[in-house]
Amino acid sequence: MNWTCEQTELRLTDYLDALLEPEQRREFDLHVNGCERCSPLVASVTHAVANLRMLPELETPPRLVYNILDATLGPRETVSGWSAIRAWIRGIASPRFAYGSLSVAATFLMLVTASGFNWKKPKIADLSPVNIYRGTNRQVHQAYARSSKYVSDLRVVYEIQSKLRESNELPSGNEGTAPDSNQQKDPGRTDGTNPATPRQQNRANEVNSHIQVLAEEFPVLGEKLCFVLSGKLSGALSGSSRLQ
Amino acid sequence: MEQDAQLVQQCLQGDGSAWEELVRHHSRRVFNICYRFTGNRTEAEDLAQDVFLRIYKTLGSYRSAHGGFATWMTSVTRNLLIDHYRRTKRDRITDSLDDAMPVVENKQSSARRPDEQALLGELSSQVQFALTKLSPELREAVVLRDLQQLEYSEIQTVLAVPEGTVKSRINRGRIELARILQQMGVRPS
């Protein structure tokens, strides 16, 4: 059987709704694949039907049901008391409303807390716009000061670490290659180690002076640094001495 | 289906809550048919209300033996839509297809936009517009088949025409819709 263009147009719906027999479907496909007229027609109709089926189903307008019920059963009796409260809660208990309310409440809490409101001793005066502004301003400035102090502390620590790294690396690099004949031993020294060379000693003094300056400027940080770094420094110095 | 028939019986006995349940259960379907037919939300809402008023008044004429309540309700909706179409035909401005048609400027480039939801919305309005350009006979057949997913036999009952006519209308409606969409620049990729 020779499938024609007219047949293709007439049976297009049967083809799209899968109502053709397998043999007819095969002939349909065979014709469409080789026909310049039918091929774009089938493609465009298939596309149109797919677009139609993608149209979303609309939600019923909220007032429609009430309007219908009012028009058929008559106006409903107004509820009062607990029934009214229950109906009101039922109305707002939709997920969309709950999420919206929660996000508004969370934002409000964050803003009030950020403005310095004391939740343990709440005062009405704290909620006045002027106090909220002052509190927020204060909090912002404090946060800025804290963060800049933190950043500058970090910078100092990194600087010290890099200096320590240099002091650890340089002596071992230069003096480790020195010939054994250059080794000096103090008379009476039995522990097998040599004291630091003048160059190393100068560097250690320099680092210690940095640490002292830090300790004066940053008392808490300085103490910790002195403790940590002096240990590292002595370790580094003794290590480099052993290499010699 | 049986539940609907039971609710109808309760309604006929004066049970208001049964009627309310029927309205809540079917209002979305009726509203969507009206909207897809008219392309206008307000008009669709008014028409859906009229449909339920008519159903309420003629509920006694429903016989479950003649088919499901949903099919009967769709039939009432269709008759009211056709009445409405005929009534407002004179009032409607017969606008030219080319004048009012929203044209997709560049489908290929717009398809690459990140906001696919917006594109989908745009495409939906294009398809809806094209749908309202079909003749009412073709439009109702296409809406019932492709949007309401009704079987041919159900459409035959709703439209009260032979199955061959149903198929022919759906076929012509789809081809015409594709032609209008092509004119609007909505082409298969």
Side-chain angles (χ1 to χ4, degrees):
Chain A
M1 177 184 172
N2 285 327
W3 200 270
T4 61
C5 294
E6 286 71 30
Q7 277 177 308
T8 304
E9 196 170 322
L10 281 173
R11 305 296 303 273
L12 189 49
T13 279
D14 288 339
Y15 175 79
L16 293 174
D17 291 349
L19 295 174
L20 289 181
E21 297 293 325
E23 178 62 21
Q24 290 175 324
R25 191 171 184 83
R26 198 184 62 77
E27 287 184 7
F28 186 100
D29 284 332
L30 203 65
H31 172 80
V32 169
N33 289 337
C35 179
E36 287 182 1
R37 180 176 168 268
C38 293
S39 180
L41 174 77
V42 173
S44 64
V45 173
T46 308
H47 182 244
V49 172
N51 279 332
L52 260 183
R53 290 180 177 174
M54 271 171 60
L55 285 179
E57 196 182 20
L58 302 178
E59 290 290 334
T60 318
R63 60 184 180 278
L64 176 62
V65 172
Y66 297 112
N67 288 346
I68 293 167
L69 293 177
D70 284 351
T72 49
L73 300 177
R76 285 155 295 153
E77 291 173 10
T78 50
V79 287
S80 57
W82 283 109
S83 307
I85 294 170
R86 273 201 299 272
W88 183 78
I89 290 171
R90 210 166 36 241
I92 64 165
S94 65
R96 189 183 294 175
F97 188 86
Y99 288 138
S101 314
L102 269 177
S103 54
V104 168
T107 311
F108 177 75
L109 278 175
M110 279 194 293
L111 285 176
V112 170
T113 309
S115 71
F117 183 79
N118 189 352
W119 290 99
K120 289 179 183 171
K121 292 178 183 173
K123 292 178 202 163
I124 296 293
D126 288 347
L127 291 173
S128 77
V130 176
N131 287 339
I132 287 176
Y133 173 76
R134 283 183 186 154
T136 311
N137 195 28
R138 190 171 57 245
Q139 293 278 344
V140 168
H141 278 90
Q142 281 177 354
Y144 178 75
R146 270 198 296 269
S147 42
S148 20
K149 185 173 179 296
Y150 180 73
V151 169
S152 82
D153 284 358
L154 270 181
R155 201 177 62 193
V156 170
V157 168
Y158 283 133
E159 278 178 12
I160 290 172
Q161 277 185 338
S162 63
K163 282 198 179 293
L164 274 174
R165 210 172 293 123
E166 281 173 19
S167 65
N168 280 342
E169 285 170 0
L170 276 177
S172 61
N174 292 338
E175 292 160 18
T177 55
D180 288 345
S181 58
N182 288 344
Q183 281 186 0
Q184 292 176 355
K185 281 189 178 178
D186 285 348
R189 202 168 176 89
T190 56
D191 55 357
T193 59
N194 282 335
T197 59
R199 192 175 166 189
Q200 286 175 317
Q201 194 59 53
N202 287 342
R203 194 165 289 117
N205 290 340
E206 191 186 338
V207 173
N208 271 330
S209 70
H210 283 316
I211 293 170
Q212 279 168 6
V213 170
L214 269 176
E216 284 167 10
E217 288 193 14
F218 307 102
V220 179
L221 181 67
E223 280 172 20
K224 288 179 184 170
L225 275 173
C226 282
F227 178 73
V228 174
L229 296 179
S230 56
K232 279 193 174 185
L233 194 61
S234 59
L237 288 175
S238 61
S240 62
S241 303
R242 270 194 298 273
L243 281 170
Q244 291 171 355
Chain B
M1 195 185 282
E2 282 182 14
Q3 192 194 356
D4 281 344
Q6 199 177 346
L7 284 172
V8 170
Q9 285 304 315
Q10 288 174 351
C11 287
L12 291 172
Q13 288 162 10
D15 186 348
S17 60
W19 171 244
E20 185 174 343
E21 201 175 330
L22 270 179
V23 172
R24 286 190 189 281
H25 189 63
H26 293 286
S27 55
R28 190 176 184 185
R29 178 191 174 92
V30 171
F31 172 72
N32 270 276
I33 295 175
C34 294
Y35 175 71
R36 294 304 174 197
F37 194 85
T38 60
N40 182 306
R41 280 188 82 95
T42 315
E43 214 173 336
E45 205 174 325
D46 292 344
L47 283 166
Q49 193 173 334
D50 291 347
V51 167
F52 277 99
L53 279 174
R54 190 178 282 189
I55 289 173
Y56 188 75
K57 285 175 187 166
T58 57
L59 205 56
S61 66
Y62 167 66
R63 298 284 177 273
S64 57
H66 296 159
F69 178 75
T71 310
W72 180 73
M73 191 190 61
T74 309
S75 186
V76 173
T77 308
R78 180 260 173 186
N79 291 339
L80 196 133
L81 284 171
I82 294 294
D83 287 351
H84 172 76
Y85 179 82
R86 286 176 185 151
R87 203 171 50 244
T88 56
K89 194 174 182 180
R90 277 175 295 176
D91 305 336
R92 267 198 308 275
I93 302 164
T94 50
D95 50 349
S96 157
L97 197 64
D98 297 328
D99 291 344
M101 191 181 295
V103 176
V104 178
E105 290 293 340
N106 187 345
K107 184 73 177 20
Q108 293 302 321
S109 63
S110 62
R112 292 189 203 101
R113 285 189 310 187
D115 193 353
E116 287 186 5
Q117 194 60 39
L119 180 64
L120 199 65
E122 189 189 351
L123 186 62
S124 296
S125 48
Q126 303 269 340
V127 177
Q128 176 60 52
F129 182 85
L131 202 55
T132 53
K133 288 295 166 193
L134 292 179
S135 69
E137 287 79 20
L138 302 187
R139 197 187 320 165
E140 65 186 5
V142 168
V143 166
L144 294 178
R145 177 66 190 156
D146 288 325
L147 292 173
Q148 295 299 316
Q149 315 280 321
L150 260 58
E151 297 294 330
Y152 284 110
S153 56
E154 291 173 313
I155 301 173
Q156 186 185 342
T157 310
V158 171
L159 302 184
V161 290
E163 190 171 326
T165 311
V166 170
K167 275 189 180 179
S168 167
R169 285 185 187 177
I170 293 169
N171 199 38
R172 279 161 47 215
R174 285 171 171 176
I175 292 172
E176 183 65 11
L177 187 78
R179 192 187 61 77
I180 296 170
L181 283 172
Q182 272 199 327
Q183 279 186 10
M184 292 165 67
V186 182
R187 291 186 174 83
S189 53

